[in-house]
Each structure stands twice: as C-alpha cells, then as structure tokens.
Amino acid sequence: MAVRSAMHRAGAAALSQLLQFPVPSSEHRRLPCGCGGEAHYRELRTKAVLTAVGQVQVSRPYYLCPQCRAGQFPADRELDVEATEFSPGVRRMQALVGQQMSFDHGRQQLESLAGLTVTTKAVERTAEAIGANIAEQEQQEMHRAMQLDLPIVIGEPVPILYIEMDGTGVPVVHKETVGRQGKIEGQPAHTREVKLGCVFTQTSWDEKGYPVRDPDSTSYVAAIETAEEFGKRLYVEAWKRDWSRAQKNVVLGDGAEWIWNLAHQHFPGAIQIVDIFHARQHLWELARRLHPNDDAGQKRWMLVHQDLLDHGRIKKFTVALRSIRTENAELADKLRTEADYFHRNALRLRYPKFRRQHLFIGSGVIEAGCKTVIASRLKQSGMFWTVRGANAILALRCCHLNGRFEDYWEARRAA
Ligand SMILES: [Zn+2]
C-alpha cells in the first residue's frame, strides 16, 4: 500500500505536468460563444481535479464573452471535467459504487480500494448525475422508438423471448407522497411504486421438460413513472433484445391490470401467462374465507380446486365458484370478484398447454429482480428517496446490470 501511495504521488505529479496547457497562440484567442458572439482569451486559470492517482492541478485557458459575460474552458470539455472537480475515471468509480451500495458505504469502498478520499455527498451527486445522463439518453431512444426509428438488430433470432413486469414500493421523502393515498385507506402513502421489467431468453429445457433460462440473458428496466411511460421503456428494451424476430414471445406477470394493458398495447401476439403462484395465492385466500379457522377444511378445498387450476380447467372452476351459495354478503362479493378474475384471465391460466411447450409459468425472475435490482439498493433501512434521485440510481443500476456501463463511457469518450 505504501508503494501504491508513492506511485500515486509520482503519477499525480507527472499528470499535473501534462495538464499545464500553454497560453493560446494569437490566432486561437477567439472562440464562438453560445450567444452568437465571440469569447476572448483572458488568462490561464488553475483548478484542482481528483484523478485515479490523486489530486492534480489543471492549468488551462479561460475565455470570456464581452457580450453576454459567459465564460468557458474549452480544455475542460476536452478532458470531460466540465463543472466537476473529479476526473472521468473517478466519476466512473463513484457511479459504480453508488449504484451498488449506500453512498456512504461507497465512499468507504473508494477510500479502501482506490485510496481516494471523497465525501458521501460527492458520491451521491456524481452517481445521480451519471444516472440522470443515462436516463436522458434513454428518453431520446424512447422518442426515436416512437418515431419507428430504431436500428435493426442483426444475428440469429432467439427461440423464446420473455418479458416479465412487476411493481414494488420504494420509501420516499415526504414531499413525494403529498396527496397520494396509501395502501391502507385513510393513511398517507410512504412509498412510490417502482415498475420493474425484465427481458430474458430460453433455448432449451431439462430432461424433465422444465424450461431453462439462458444464463446471463436477463436485462432490466426500472423507473418510478406512469404505466404509459414504462410501456415505452420496456418496448425499447424488448426491441434491443430482438423481440420482433423471436420465434416465440411470452409476457408473464401477476394479475395487475396495467401489465396486461401494456402487453396488449406494445406486445400484441405474445403468449400471456399469469404467474401460477400468484393464481394459487388467490385460491388460498378463497380457501381461508370459505373455511375460516379450519385448517383441514382449507386444505381439502385447496386439494380439489388447485387441481382444477393446475389442469387448466378454469371454466369448471369458475362455475364451481359461482355456484357456492352464502348468506354472507361480503363473502358473496369476494366470490364474485374472484370468479371474474379467473374468468377474465382464463386464457392466461392454461398451464397444461404452456407446460407442453416447455414454457416458464412462474414469474420468479422478476420477483428475484425486485429483490436484487430494487430492494438491495433502494430499500435499506433509513433510506428515503426523491423520485428524481431514485430514477437516476435505477437508470445507473440497470445500465450496469445489463452490462452496458462500459459502453456508456466509451460513447462518452468518443463524443
Ligand atoms: Zn456570449
């Protein structure tokens, strides 16, 4: 570690030497200004920049526009250190730790792994700025998608492409929930819903016929936004994954209405499947209502009715539900709602048919995603997010998990 420190000091000194820009020659003392006027060279100005080898001094020409009084440092643009005291390399590290763990934990990691001392606030600001930049680029991409202007994907078409989506609450600061109804009636909300979507592929199944997900094939999108906005986001991701040329397309989700609305709007023709565990939960709830405080009765009822569900005999099941007579108005209401639910989703509950095609019938991938993508980073104790901050970190986190973080920096360098 002592050697590393010494190398860093030597590196910083050498780098500082390289970052002493000369006074511009007489023909380079005027620059176009954003206002349409011309900025004039004034002087060399020095600023400190924290790099991977520690603090360096950059001395570069400063230009001022006499017309609008705007100043500029062309060298800062070139070095990608405009309006920041951190080099791109350090910002990349801050963003990386910031999407992975709490900002303060990230600060400690930078200190112990890279020997860099920064504040917790700096990690937060940088991670959010990079995340916001990624989110902005995605917005542009979504805009192009709506103009039907996305690049065509080339290569072998995938056999089976899946989309799963789900929603999960993230704790937010008070101002983000003003006027919003909480889960419990009359109680204010303390969370906002993050919509999470994933896309993955399947090429084979195991010897028992169960589907096998292609390793490392899952990519994620996530944001706190309306279903309409989220639909576009997921559509773009699906497009990138060659949705339009897949031999089989599947949308898997729970019973939430927005999920099936999006499926109809953006992914018409896909096989729609309701997560079997979710459907079974509906059954359990019914069993508990029909046989309160009667474990044996609940189990007996489940045995018969889960069998109907698992065998795709939805019609028979809904008829059975509708034929139950009860004096209890609340229970009658529940039975009606549930019968409607199963009737409405009947085509999405054809499990034997899906099984014969070796398809996934449980949405375990998105549920695991809710934990690994969202909860492990955004739902730690003591965390309260602004919508803007959460969306920036979500964009950053998905970019990293999708293996596109390096591409982002490559593109930034090329720009
Ligand atoms: Zn100007």
Side-chain angles (χ1 to χ4, degrees):
M1 294 306 270
V3 172
R4 188 181 74 176
S5 294
M7 295 305 283
H8 276 187
R9 274 195 301 279
L15 195 51
S16 283
Q17 284 301 312
L18 288 173
L19 294 172
Q20 306 304 303
F21 287 77
V23 170
S25 57
S26 52
E27 64 268 34
H28 290 108
R29 295 196 174 183
R30 303 243 164 149
L31 284 176
C33 175
C35 75
E38 240 182 5
H40 299 199
Y41 168 72
R42 294 295 291 257
E43 65 207 343
L44 290 175
R45 285 194 181 177
T46 302
K47 86 162 169 179
V49 173
L50 186 67
T51 72
V53 292
Q55 194 91 257
V56 303
Q57 299 294 324
V58 186
S59 167
R60 74 285 196 231
Y62 173 66
Y63 294 76
L64 185 71
C65 171
Q67 205 171 306
C68 73
R69 311 300 299 165
Q72 51 172 307
F73 296 97
D76 287 8
R77 257 199 309 277
E78 205 179 302
L79 297 170
D80 192 5
V81 291
E82 224 171 354
T84 170
E85 54 195 303
F86 303 108
S87 74
V90 170
R91 298 210 305 284
R92 192 165 143 262
M93 290 188 224
Q94 288 175 321
L96 198 56
V97 294
Q99 62 79 34
Q100 183 69 39
M101 54 194 102
S102 78
F103 300 124
D104 192 53
H105 190 185
R107 176 193 63 78
Q108 293 168 34
Q109 294 286 66
L110 280 185
E111 177 112 46
S112 51
L113 296 175
L116 293 171
T117 308
V118 296
T119 63
T120 301
K121 197 74 200 166
V123 175
E124 177 178 347
R125 279 211 190 106
T126 304
E128 290 190 359
I130 301 295
N133 189 238
I134 290 170
E136 209 173 287
Q137 293 179 1
E138 287 169 354
Q139 283 297 335
Q140 288 165 11
E141 215 170 15
M142 279 151 66
H143 184 74
R144 282 201 299 277
M146 294 305 117
Q147 316 284 316
L148 304 174
D149 190 23
L150 283 180
I152 302 293
V153 184
I154 36 179
E156 283 289 302
V158 281
I160 312 175
L161 196 58
Y162 288 85
I163 286 179
E164 292 184 13
M165 36 191 149
D166 203 356
T168 179
V170 161
V172 290
V173 296
H174 180 69
K175 71 163 172 119
E176 302 287 12
T177 56
V178 173
R180 281 172 177 269
Q181 179 73 43
K183 279 226 168 106
I184 305 160
E185 222 179 321
Q187 300 266 310
H190 297 290
T191 61
R192 290 284 298 268
E193 187 193 54
V194 173
K195 293 186 175 68
L196 176 69
C198 71
V199 182
F200 65 92
T201 63
Q202 179 202 335
T203 18
S204 62
W205 48 86
D206 65 14
E207 61 277 13
K208 286 186 182 138
Y210 289 113
V212 179
R213 174 160 56 127
D214 293 337
D216 299 323
S217 73
T218 313
S219 58
Y220 300 94
V221 292
I224 301 174
E225 61 192 352
T226 62
E228 192 194 342
E229 290 167 310
F230 181 74
K232 292 181 201 166
R233 184 180 300 282
L234 194 52
Y235 172 79
V236 171
E237 185 58 31
W239 180 276
K240 281 188 197 162
R241 303 296 306 276
D242 211 6
W243 177 263
S244 60
R245 294 197 310 140
Q247 284 156 2
K248 212 173 257 184
N249 302 76
V250 182
V251 177
L252 242 161
D254 62 20
E257 215 174 313
W258 65 269
I259 291 177
W260 303 116
N261 288 341
L262 289 189
H264 278 298
Q265 189 187 347
H266 293 293
F267 312 109
I271 301 169
Q272 300 183 353
I273 303 176
V274 165
D275 169 50
I276 189 168
F277 303 103
H278 189 87
R280 282 182 191 162
Q281 259 171 27
H282 277 256
L283 285 191
W284 271 112
E285 216 176 292
L286 275 169
R288 278 192 292 270
R289 294 282 192 96
L290 287 164
H291 303 278
N293 307 316
D294 173 12
D295 273 7
Q298 290 174 16
K299 284 200 182 112
R300 256 195 322 274
W301 191 88
M302 278 304 286
L303 210 63
V304 176
H305 293 88
Q306 185 170 317
D307 195 61
L308 289 179
L309 178 69
D310 289 2
H311 286 90
R313 307 193 60 187
I314 306 306
K315 187 146 189 213
K316 185 163 182 204
F317 174 70
T318 48
V319 169
L321 273 194
R322 287 188 167 126
S323 66
I324 298 173
R325 295 283 159 252
T326 171
E327 298 295 304
N328 181 336
E330 204 184 318
L331 179 60
D333 201 43
K334 177 77 182 165
L335 285 168
R336 218 168 11 247
T337 339
E338 289 297 317
D340 287 349
Y341 169 84
F342 282 97
H343 177 72
R344 193 169 60 242
N345 287 298
L347 291 177
R348 306 179 183 124
L349 298 165
R350 291 172 295 172
Y351 297 122
K353 184 182 157 109
F354 303 143
R355 279 213 174 92
R356 275 197 301 277
Q357 299 179 64
H358 309 286
L359 297 175
F360 282 99
I361 55 172
S363 56
V365 179
I366 198 74
E367 268 149 47
C370 282
K371 292 195 185 76
T372 56
V373 182
I374 313 291
S376 70
R377 176 62 189 92
L378 286 96
K379 287 162 92 160
Q380 299 294 312
S381 74
M383 283 184 185
F384 297 97
W385 297 87
T386 61
V387 169
R388 201 181 51 82
N391 277 342
I393 296 304
L394 287 169
L396 182 59
R397 190 157 172 74
C398 288
C399 175
H400 178 252
L401 289 169
N402 297 347
R404 296 176 192 147
F405 191 59
E406 293 310 316
D407 298 342
Y408 167 80
W409 289 98
E410 272 304 308
R412 209 181 153 108
R413 212 161 54 103

